[in-house]
Amino acid sequence: MNTQSSNHADVKKIVGHFINGADVADDNRPLPVMNPATGEVSRHVAMASKATVEEAIAAAESAFPAWRNTPPAKRAKIMFRFKYLLEEHAEEVVAALTNEHGKVLDDAMGEFGRGVEVVDYACGIGELLKGEYTKNVGPDIDSWSELQPIGVVAGITPFNFPAMVPMWMFPMAIACGNTFVLKPSEKDPSAPMLVAHLLKEAGLPDGVFNVVNGDKEAVDTLLEDPRVQAISFVGSTPIAEYIYSTGTKNGKRVQALGGAKNHAIIMPDADIDNTVRALMGAAFGSCGERCMAISVAVCVGEKTADTVVDKLRAELQELKVGNGTDACNNMGPLITQDHYDKVKGYVDLGVKEGADLVVDGRGLVVEGHENGYFLGGCLFDNVTSDMRIYQEEIFGPVLCVVRAESQEQAMQLIDDHEYGNGTCIFTRDGEAARYFADNIRVGMVGINVPLPVPVALHSFGGWKRSLFGDLYAYGPDSVRFYTRRKTITQRWPSGGVREKAQFSFPSNQ
Ligand code: NAD
C-alpha cells in the first residue's frame, strides 16, 4: 500500500517562524520542502533575514527576567503539561517527521519518544537545580552555591532528527530558566513548529521559546549577536567546528556535536545471528541517516567475517524499502536528491577503490515512487582504512566490513579514526568487553548494544572530532551547560562588636 502523500493544498504554503508566542508569516527567500518518498514539493519554508532573527532574540531577551524568576516548580508544571500534550499529539508530529524526513513511522515514533524522555527529565528541574550550602565557613559566615540561568540560548539542529535533537536542547534550557531561539533544519521544519505551538498551549509565556527558520544568514546572526549567551549545535563536523570557533570567539558558551563513523567489533565468540540482526537495524535503520548508525563492522578473524557477510547478504535481500508511511517498510528514502547523489557517489567510489560490493542498492526503483530518493541497502566487504569510504562519513545505507586479526587491531582502527561518537562490541567474553569499554577512545560505548544512545538520565556526546566543547547534550551535563554557578558568602555578625581592619588574607588557620 504505497501512497503518494503530498498534500497539494499545502504546496504553496510557506512555513514562517514562531516569535514571541505567535506565528510570523514570511516569504523571504522561500526554499522548497520535499517529500523525499515522492520527490514532490510538499511546502516551502522562509529563510529568516538578520532582522527577523534579531526580532526573535529581542523577544527571548525581554522574556528572560520574568522567566528567570519563575519558580522552578512552576516551570516544571509547564513541562508536565507539555509532556502530556506531546503524547496527545504524537501522531501529528510523527506524520510530519515521516513526510519531510522520510523515515518509517515506527522509527519516527522512536525518535519522538526519545525526545519526550528529555521532557520527563526536565520535569525534575527542582531537584536538579538544588544548590549547595555550608554553614559557618568562618565566624558568623555561611556560604552557598547556586545555579543561575545564563540568558538567551540558541539551538541549531540537523535534518535527521527534527523532533528529538531540538528536544535534547530546549526542554532543559528552558527548565533551567533560560529563554530559547531554535534554528531547525530547513529540510524538515514542520515538527519543530508543531512543538512550538504545544509549548504555548502548555502555558509557556510568550518569548521564552522562539523558532526561526533559515540558513547561514540566520545562524551567523545568532553567532554574532551579543545578546545570545550560549549555543547548542548538532550537525556535521565542518559546520560544528565553524560554530564552535565563531561562537567562542564571540564570547559565547558553545557545545557543537558533529559527525561520526561508528564501528562495531564482532568477536569470534559473538552470537552471530543476533549480531547480524542488530547490525541490520543499526546500519540501515533511518536509511543510515543517524549519527549513531553503525557504518563499519570490524570482524575479528576470517571465519567471523565470512559468516557475518553471508548472513548480512541474506538479510539485505529481505530489507523492505519504500515510503515510510507504509508500515511494511523497514527503510525509507534519503532526505534529498543531492544527498542521494552524494551517497550513491560513495558507493561508486568504493568500487573504484577496490572494496568488494557484496550487495548493490543502486538502481533500486520503488514502484509508484519513481521520483523518490530511494537507495537500497549496500554492503561492502574487504574495506581497508586507506579508502575514503572508510574514512569519511557517508550518512546513508552503506555498511563497510573491515577484516581484523585481533581485538587489539580492531580497537586500533577505532582509536585512529578522526571521529569518536559511538561504538559497540559484540561478544560473550566479559573480559574482552570490559577491556574494550575501559580503553576505547569513543564517547558512547555499547556492549552487545548497537546504538548506545544514552537515556535522558545520562548525557550524550562523542570524543575527538565528534564534539567541540566540554559538555555533552541533555542529562546532568545539560544542567551545567545551561546554568552558571554563583557562590555567595554571607556574614551576619553578632551585634555590637567593634571590628578592626584585617590586612591578612581571611583564613581559618
Ligand atoms: P549540517 O551541518 O549540514 O546542518 C546542521 C545545521 O547547520 C542546520 O540547521 C543547517 O541549516 C546549519 N548549517 C548548514 N550549513 C551551514 C553553514 N555553512 N553555516 C551555518 N549554518 C549552517 O548537518 P545536517 O546535514 O543537517 O545533518 C547531518 C549531520 O549531522 C551528520 O554529519 C550527522 O552525523 C550529524 N549529526 C550529529 C549528531 C550528534 O549528536 N553528534 C546528531 C545528529 C546528526
Side-chain angles (χ1 to χ4, degrees):
M1 191 197 68
N2 283 332
T3 50
Q4 302 272 333
S5 58
S6 161
N7 177 351
H8 292 282
D10 278 354
V11 173
K12 290 204 173 131
K13 184 181 163 190
I14 303 179
V15 181
H17 319 287
F18 185 84
I19 298 175
N20 207 19
D23 284 315
V24 173
D26 188 2
D27 59 3
N28 190 49
R29 294 193 289 117
L31 288 184
V33 177
M34 309 305 292
N35 178 334
T38 62
E40 291 172 359
V41 177
S42 59
R43 52 185 57 79
H44 288 78
V45 59
M47 295 295 99
S49 65
K50 188 172 196 290
T52 303
V53 179
E54 285 174 348
E55 201 187 313
I57 297 170
E61 195 190 41
S62 54
F64 178 61
W67 184 242
R68 170 193 193 279
N69 287 323
T70 301
K74 283 202 173 158
R75 302 201 291 249
K77 250 189 178 160
I78 293 170
M79 283 295 144
F80 270 113
R81 266 187 244 127
F82 177 49
K83 174 191 152 68
Y84 285 119
L85 286 169
L86 282 170
E87 283 164 355
E88 219 174 287
H89 291 266
E91 282 186 15
E92 215 177 314
V93 179
V94 162
L97 296 177
T98 294
N99 283 330
E100 293 182 0
H101 176 279
K103 61 181 71 180
V104 298
L105 285 170
D106 63 349
D107 185 34
M109 191 56 95
E111 157 180 4
F112 180 72
R114 276 305 189 91
V116 175
E117 271 184 18
V118 182
V119 181
D120 286 348
Y121 186 71
C123 289
I125 196 65
E127 177 69 22
L128 294 168
L129 285 182
K130 255 183 3 195
E132 297 158 353
Y133 184 89
T134 311
K135 193 172 174 173
N136 286 334
V137 293
D140 298 326
I141 301 175
D142 310 319
S143 189
W144 73 92
S145 288
E146 59 188 42
L147 299 173
Q148 297 197 342
I150 48 187
V152 178
V153 173
I156 301 158
T157 53
F159 78 82
N160 66 321
F161 286 111
M164 180 183 78
V165 170
M167 286 199 272
W168 283 1
M169 303 172 179
F170 72 78
M172 284 304 294
I174 286 174
C176 286
N178 303 285
T179 55
F180 204 89
V181 180
L182 174 68
K183 203 305 282 172
S185 171
E186 60 278 29
K187 297 187 178 109
D188 36 23
S190 294
M193 293 297 277
L194 280 169
V195 163
H197 284 94
L198 297 180
L199 268 172
K200 180 168 169 91
E201 202 179 326
L204 192 74
D206 293 348
V208 174
F209 181 70
N210 308 275
V211 183
V212 285
N213 284 299
D215 54 9
K216 185 167 168 52
E217 182 175 346
V219 171
D220 285 344
T221 307
L222 293 167
L223 286 172
E224 279 153 23
D225 196 301
R227 293 170 294 182
V228 175
Q229 302 296 315
I231 298 198
S232 295
F233 172 88
V234 175
S236 60
T237 286
I239 310 298
E241 195 165 23
Y242 167 72
I243 301 282
Y244 185 77
S245 59
T246 314
T248 50
K249 194 178 77 202
N250 291 336
K252 300 179 196 315
R253 185 180 287 188
V254 182
Q255 55 178 186
L257 284 69
K261 192 85 177 177
N262 306 308
H263 296 54
I265 296 182
I266 297 100
M267 297 292 284
D269 67 346
D271 174 339
I272 298 289
D273 284 328
N274 280 340
T275 299
V276 165
R277 282 190 284 270
L279 288 175
M280 286 296 297
F284 302 106
S286 201
C287 211
E289 292 171 324
R290 289 180 182 145
C291 64
M292 290 292 277
I294 293 289
S295 48
V296 181
V298 189
C299 297
V300 175
E302 291 294 328
K303 189 162 165 267
T304 313
D306 290 344
T307 314
V308 166
V309 168
D310 279 351
K311 288 180 185 278
L312 281 170
R313 182 196 286 117
E315 288 281 338
L316 272 161
Q317 307 311 321
E318 305 296 316
L319 184 73
K320 295 198 174 45
V321 185
N323 195 330
T325 55
D326 184 340
C328 296
N329 290 324
N330 309 122
M331 190 174 103
L334 287 159
I335 181 79
T336 56
Q337 181 68 50
D338 280 355
H339 193 54
Y340 172 90
D341 293 342
K342 182 179 157 191
V343 176
K344 185 179 160 294
Y346 272 112
V347 182
D348 300 340
L349 176 68
V351 174
K352 273 201 211 114
E353 290 184 310
D356 298 330
L357 186 56
V358 178
V359 180
D360 185 356
R362 296 171 297 178
L364 171 84
V365 176
V366 175
E367 211 184 314
H369 289 71
E370 287 74 10
N371 295 324
Y373 315 131
F374 292 102
L375 182 69
C378 298
L379 177 66
F380 277 112
D381 191 7
N382 291 306
V383 174
T384 51
S385 60
D386 55 337
M387 295 178 183
R388 277 182 55 205
I389 57 163
Y390 173 79
Q391 293 160 353
E392 297 171 18
E393 181 181 45
I394 298 175
F395 219 54
V398 182
L399 178 60
C400 296
V401 172
V402 177
R403 293 169 176 242
E405 284 169 13
S406 62
Q407 181 180 355
E408 287 67 32
Q409 196 190 3
M411 286 176 63
Q412 195 61 52
L413 277 167
I414 298 174
D415 285 350
D416 289 345
H417 205 283
E418 74 169 298
Y419 296 117
N421 213 39
T423 188
C424 165
I425 189 167
F426 290 98
T427 183
R428 289 180 166 112
D429 179 343
E431 187 184 354
R434 192 167 189 271
Y435 179 79
F436 176 75
D438 192 25
N439 291 287
I440 202 74
R441 294 183 56 224
V442 171
M444 291 170 284
V445 178
I447 296 165
N448 299 316
V449 173
L451 293 176
V453 177
V455 296
L457 300 171
H458 297 269
S459 298
F460 180 109
W463 285 15
K464 298 185 272 180
R465 287 174 61 75
S466 292
L467 171 69
F468 301 87
D470 305 305
L471 291 169
Y472 281 18
Y474 64 84
D477 268 16
S478 63
V479 178
R480 293 178 201 119
F481 187 78
Y482 295 124
T483 60
R484 207 169 260 148
R485 183 179 291 274
K486 184 176 274 183
T487 306
I488 297 143
T489 305
Q490 79 173 1
R491 179 172 179 233
W492 294 110
S494 313
V497 180
R498 282 285 124 229
E499 293 177 2
K500 288 190 189 143
Q502 289 234 11
F503 296 98
S504 58
F505 200 68
S507 136
N508 278 323
Q509 299 308 311

